[in-house]
PDB file of all heavy atoms in Angstrom:
ATOM      1  N   ARG A 171      -2.251  15.564 -17.147  1.00 86.00           N
ATOM      2  CA  ARG A 171      -1.348  14.671 -17.874  1.00 86.00           C
ATOM      3  C   ARG A 171       0.068  14.730 -17.299  1.00 86.00           C
ATOM      4  O   ARG A 171       1.050  15.024 -18.010  1.00 86.00           O
ATOM      5  CB  ARG A 171      -1.327  15.024 -19.362  1.00 86.00           C
ATOM      6  CG  ARG A 171      -2.656  14.804 -20.050  1.00 86.00           C
ATOM      7  CD  ARG A 171      -2.541  15.060 -21.529  1.00 86.00           C
ATOM      8  NE  ARG A 171      -3.806  14.847 -22.216  1.00 86.00           N
ATOM      9  CZ  ARG A 171      -3.980  15.015 -23.514  1.00 86.00           C
ATOM     10  NH1 ARG A 171      -2.970  15.429 -24.263  1.00 86.00           N
ATOM     11  NH2 ARG A 171      -5.160  14.798 -24.073  1.00 86.00           N
ATOM     12  N   PRO A 172       0.218  14.418 -16.040  1.00 88.00           N
ATOM     13  CA  PRO A 172       1.535  14.518 -15.410  1.00 88.00           C
ATOM     14  C   PRO A 172       2.440  13.368 -15.819  1.00 88.00           C
ATOM     15  O   PRO A 172       1.999  12.336 -16.317  1.00 88.00           O
ATOM     16  CB  PRO A 172       1.199  14.423 -13.917  1.00 88.00           C
ATOM     17  CG  PRO A 172      -0.009  13.538 -13.882  1.00 88.00           C
ATOM     18  CD  PRO A 172      -0.800  13.908 -15.101  1.00 88.00           C
ATOM     19  N   LYS A 173       3.734  13.555 -15.577  1.00 88.00           N
ATOM     20  CA  LYS A 173       4.690  12.469 -15.801  1.00 88.00           C
ATOM     21  C   LYS A 173       4.591  11.429 -14.697  1.00 88.00           C
ATOM     22  O   LYS A 173       4.960  10.261 -14.897  1.00 88.00           O
ATOM     23  CB  LYS A 173       6.110  13.028 -15.862  1.00 88.00           C
ATOM     24  CG  LYS A 173       6.385  13.880 -17.100  1.00 88.00           C
ATOM     25  CD  LYS A 173       7.822  14.353 -17.118  1.00 88.00           C
ATOM     26  CE  LYS A 173       8.111  15.164 -18.379  1.00 88.00           C
ATOM     27  NZ  LYS A 173       9.497  15.690 -18.383  1.00 88.00           N
ATOM     28  N   LEU A 174       4.115  11.861 -13.533  1.00 93.00           N
ATOM     29  CA  LEU A 174       4.079  10.975 -12.377  1.00 93.00           C
ATOM     30  C   LEU A 174       2.872  11.314 -11.509  1.00 93.00           C
ATOM     31  O   LEU A 174       2.639  12.479 -11.181  1.00 93.00           O
ATOM     32  CB  LEU A 174       5.377  11.145 -11.571  1.00 93.00           C
ATOM     33  CG  LEU A 174       5.656  10.215 -10.409  1.00 93.00           C
ATOM     34  CD1 LEU A 174       5.764   8.771 -10.878  1.00 93.00           C
ATOM     35  CD2 LEU A 174       6.945  10.633  -9.709  1.00 93.00           C
ATOM     36  N   PHE A 175       2.087  10.298 -11.167  1.00 93.00           N
ATOM     37  CA  PHE A 175       0.974  10.458 -10.225  1.00 93.00           C
ATOM     38  C   PHE A 175       1.444  10.050  -8.832  1.00 93.00           C
ATOM     39  O   PHE A 175       2.058   8.986  -8.663  1.00 93.00           O
ATOM     40  CB  PHE A 175      -0.199   9.553 -10.615  1.00 93.00           C
ATOM     41  CG  PHE A 175      -0.987   9.998 -11.806  1.00 93.00           C
ATOM     42  CD1 PHE A 175      -0.577   9.673 -13.089  1.00 93.00           C
ATOM     43  CD2 PHE A 175      -2.157  10.728 -11.649  1.00 93.00           C
ATOM     44  CE1 PHE A 175      -1.305  10.069 -14.200  1.00 93.00           C
ATOM     45  CE2 PHE A 175      -2.894  11.128 -12.753  1.00 93.00           C
ATOM     46  CZ  PHE A 175      -2.474  10.802 -14.027  1.00 93.00           C
ATOM     47  N   LEU A 176       1.122  10.876  -7.841  1.00 95.00           N
ATOM     48  CA  LEU A 176       1.443  10.571  -6.449  1.00 95.00           C
ATOM     49  C   LEU A 176       0.146  10.491  -5.649  1.00 95.00           C
ATOM     50  O   LEU A 176      -0.654  11.419  -5.656  1.00 95.00           O
ATOM     51  CB  LEU A 176       2.351  11.656  -5.857  1.00 95.00           C
ATOM     52  CG  LEU A 176       3.653  11.966  -6.605  1.00 95.00           C
ATOM     53  CD1 LEU A 176       4.403  13.086  -5.903  1.00 95.00           C
ATOM     54  CD2 LEU A 176       4.532  10.724  -6.725  1.00 95.00           C
ATOM     55  N   PHE A 177      -0.061   9.368  -4.963  1.00 94.00           N
ATOM     56  CA  PHE A 177      -1.255   9.164  -4.147  1.00 94.00           C
ATOM     57  C   PHE A 177      -0.829   9.014  -2.687  1.00 94.00           C
ATOM     58  O   PHE A 177      -0.037   8.126  -2.362  1.00 94.00           O
ATOM     59  CB  PHE A 177      -1.999   7.895  -4.568  1.00 94.00           C
ATOM     60  CG  PHE A 177      -2.604   7.945  -5.946  1.00 94.00           C
ATOM     61  CD1 PHE A 177      -1.864   7.596  -7.068  1.00 94.00           C
ATOM     62  CD2 PHE A 177      -3.925   8.321  -6.128  1.00 94.00           C
ATOM     63  CE1 PHE A 177      -2.416   7.629  -8.336  1.00 94.00           C
ATOM     64  CE2 PHE A 177      -4.495   8.354  -7.391  1.00 94.00           C
ATOM     65  CZ  PHE A 177      -3.736   8.009  -8.497  1.00 94.00           C
ATOM     66  N   ASP A 178      -1.371   9.857  -1.815  1.00 93.00           N
ATOM     67  CA  ASP A 178      -1.043   9.784  -0.388  1.00 93.00           C
ATOM     68  C   ASP A 178      -2.252   9.290   0.395  1.00 93.00           C
ATOM     69  O   ASP A 178      -3.134  10.063   0.759  1.00 93.00           O
ATOM     70  CB  ASP A 178      -0.588  11.154   0.128  1.00 93.00           C
ATOM     71  CG  ASP A 178       0.002  11.070   1.534  1.00 93.00           C
ATOM     72  OD1 ASP A 178       0.184   9.943   2.036  1.00 93.00           O
ATOM     73  OD2 ASP A 178       0.282  12.127   2.124  1.00 93.00           O
ATOM     74  N   GLU A 179      -2.320   7.982   0.616  1.00 91.00           N
ATOM     75  CA  GLU A 179      -3.412   7.325   1.344  1.00 91.00           C
ATOM     76  C   GLU A 179      -4.781   7.835   0.894  1.00 91.00           C
ATOM     77  O   GLU A 179      -5.585   8.297   1.708  1.00 91.00           O
ATOM     78  CB  GLU A 179      -3.233   7.496   2.852  1.00 91.00           C
ATOM     79  CG  GLU A 179      -1.897   6.947   3.334  1.00 91.00           C
ATOM     80  CD  GLU A 179      -1.891   6.538   4.793  1.00 91.00           C
ATOM     81  OE1 GLU A 179      -2.889   5.955   5.242  1.00 91.00           O
ATOM     82  OE2 GLU A 179      -0.885   6.800   5.466  1.00 91.00           O
ATOM     83  N   PRO A 180      -5.098   7.756  -0.396  1.00 88.00           N
ATOM     84  CA  PRO A 180      -6.320   8.380  -0.909  1.00 88.00           C
ATOM     85  C   PRO A 180      -7.623   7.705  -0.483  1.00 88.00           C
ATOM     86  O   PRO A 180      -8.686   8.294  -0.626  1.00 88.00           O
ATOM     87  CB  PRO A 180      -6.140   8.269  -2.431  1.00 88.00           C
ATOM     88  CG  PRO A 180      -5.307   7.049  -2.612  1.00 88.00           C
ATOM     89  CD  PRO A 180      -4.334   7.074  -1.456  1.00 88.00           C
ATOM     90  N   LEU A 181      -7.543   6.483   0.032  1.00 86.00           N
ATOM     91  CA  LEU A 181      -8.770   5.752   0.363  1.00 86.00           C
ATOM     92  C   LEU A 181      -9.084   5.733   1.854  1.00 86.00           C
ATOM     93  O   LEU A 181     -10.090   5.154   2.276  1.00 86.00           O
ATOM     94  CB  LEU A 181      -8.666   4.298  -0.138  1.00 86.00           C
ATOM     95  CG  LEU A 181      -8.260   4.118  -1.604  1.00 86.00           C
ATOM     96  CD1 LEU A 181      -8.327   2.655  -1.987  1.00 86.00           C
ATOM     97  CD2 LEU A 181      -9.139   4.954  -2.527  1.00 86.00           C
ATOM     98  N   SER A 182      -8.259   6.369   2.657  1.00 84.00           N
ATOM     99  CA  SER A 182      -8.393   6.257   4.113  1.00 84.00           C
ATOM    100  C   SER A 182      -9.704   6.815   4.649  1.00 84.00           C
ATOM    101  O   SER A 182     -10.197   6.363   5.684  1.00 84.00           O
ATOM    102  CB  SER A 182      -7.224   6.971   4.806  1.00 84.00           C
ATOM    103  OG  SER A 182      -6.016   6.327   4.494  1.00 84.00           O
ATOM    104  N   ASN A 183     -10.279   7.803   3.972  1.00 80.00           N
ATOM    105  CA  ASN A 183     -11.514   8.424   4.468  1.00 80.00           C
ATOM    106  C   ASN A 183     -12.784   7.755   3.942  1.00 80.00           C
ATOM    107  O   ASN A 183     -13.884   8.222   4.224  1.00 80.00           O
ATOM    108  CB  ASN A 183     -11.543   9.916   4.086  1.00 80.00           C
ATOM    109  CG  ASN A 183     -10.526  10.718   4.872  1.00 80.00           C
ATOM    110  OD1 ASN A 183     -10.122  10.322   5.961  1.00 80.00           O
ATOM    111  ND2 ASN A 183     -10.099  11.836   4.319  1.00 80.00           N
ATOM    112  N   LEU A 184     -12.643   6.662   3.193  1.00 80.00           N
ATOM    113  CA  LEU A 184     -13.796   5.999   2.599  1.00 80.00           C
ATOM    114  C   LEU A 184     -14.185   4.777   3.418  1.00 80.00           C
ATOM    115  O   LEU A 184     -13.340   4.163   4.080  1.00 80.00           O
ATOM    116  CB  LEU A 184     -13.476   5.571   1.161  1.00 80.00           C
ATOM    117  CG  LEU A 184     -12.996   6.666   0.209  1.00 80.00           C
ATOM    118  CD1 LEU A 184     -12.751   6.079  -1.170  1.00 80.00           C
ATOM    119  CD2 LEU A 184     -13.986   7.813   0.131  1.00 80.00           C
ATOM    120  N   ASP A 185     -15.477   4.421   3.352  1.00 84.00           N
ATOM    121  CA  ASP A 185     -15.900   3.200   4.048  1.00 84.00           C
ATOM    122  C   ASP A 185     -15.413   1.983   3.270  1.00 84.00           C
ATOM    123  O   ASP A 185     -14.878   2.088   2.166  1.00 84.00           O
ATOM    124  CB  ASP A 185     -17.413   3.173   4.256  1.00 84.00           C
ATOM    125  CG  ASP A 185     -18.208   3.158   2.958  1.00 84.00           C
ATOM    126  OD1 ASP A 185     -17.762   2.527   1.986  1.00 84.00           O
ATOM    127  OD2 ASP A 185     -19.293   3.777   2.921  1.00 84.00           O
ATOM    128  N   ALA A 186     -15.600   0.797   3.863  1.00 82.00           N
ATOM    129  CA  ALA A 186     -14.990  -0.419   3.322  1.00 82.00           C
ATOM    130  C   ALA A 186     -15.409  -0.689   1.880  1.00 82.00           C
ATOM    131  O   ALA A 186     -14.576  -1.001   1.019  1.00 82.00           O
ATOM    132  CB  ALA A 186     -15.334  -1.615   4.207  1.00 82.00           C
ATOM    133  N   ALA A 187     -16.720  -0.585   1.590  1.00 83.00           N
ATOM    134  CA  ALA A 187     -17.204  -0.883   0.243  1.00 83.00           C
ATOM    135  C   ALA A 187     -16.643   0.105  -0.775  1.00 83.00           C
ATOM    136  O   ALA A 187     -16.232  -0.280  -1.880  1.00 83.00           O
ATOM    137  CB  ALA A 187     -18.726  -0.861   0.218  1.00 83.00           C
ATOM    138  N   LEU A 188     -16.605   1.395  -0.409  1.00 81.00           N
ATOM    139  CA  LEU A 188     -16.078   2.403  -1.322  1.00 81.00           C
ATOM    140  C   LEU A 188     -14.578   2.252  -1.532  1.00 81.00           C
ATOM    141  O   LEU A 188     -14.061   2.535  -2.606  1.00 81.00           O
ATOM    142  CB  LEU A 188     -16.390   3.809  -0.802  1.00 81.00           C
ATOM    143  CG  LEU A 188     -17.781   4.356  -1.123  1.00 81.00           C
ATOM    144  CD1 LEU A 188     -17.983   5.696  -0.456  1.00 81.00           C
ATOM    145  CD2 LEU A 188     -17.966   4.486  -2.632  1.00 81.00           C
ATOM    146  N   ARG A 189     -13.865   1.808  -0.482  1.00 85.00           N
ATOM    147  CA  ARG A 189     -12.426   1.579  -0.637  1.00 85.00           C
ATOM    148  C   ARG A 189     -12.165   0.535  -1.706  1.00 85.00           C
ATOM    149  O   ARG A 189     -11.281   0.698  -2.546  1.00 85.00           O
ATOM    150  CB  ARG A 189     -11.802   1.141   0.701  1.00 85.00           C
ATOM    151  CG  ARG A 189     -11.525   2.281   1.653  1.00 85.00           C
ATOM    152  CD  ARG A 189     -10.464   1.910   2.669  1.00 85.00           C
ATOM    153  NE  ARG A 189     -10.823   0.725   3.446  1.00 85.00           N
ATOM    154  CZ  ARG A 189     -11.538   0.751   4.560  1.00 85.00           C
ATOM    155  NH1 ARG A 189     -11.984   1.895   5.030  1.00 85.00           N
ATOM    156  NH2 ARG A 189     -11.801  -0.354   5.210  1.00 85.00           N
TER     157      ARG A 189
END
Side-chain angles (χ1 to χ4, degrees):
R171 295 185 180 179
K173 291 182 178 177
L174 187 62
F175 286 85
L176 305 178
F177 294 87
D178 190 8
E179 302 205 40
L181 309 185
S182 296
N183 290 336
L184 305 181
D185 63 36
L188 277 175
R189 280 202 303 273

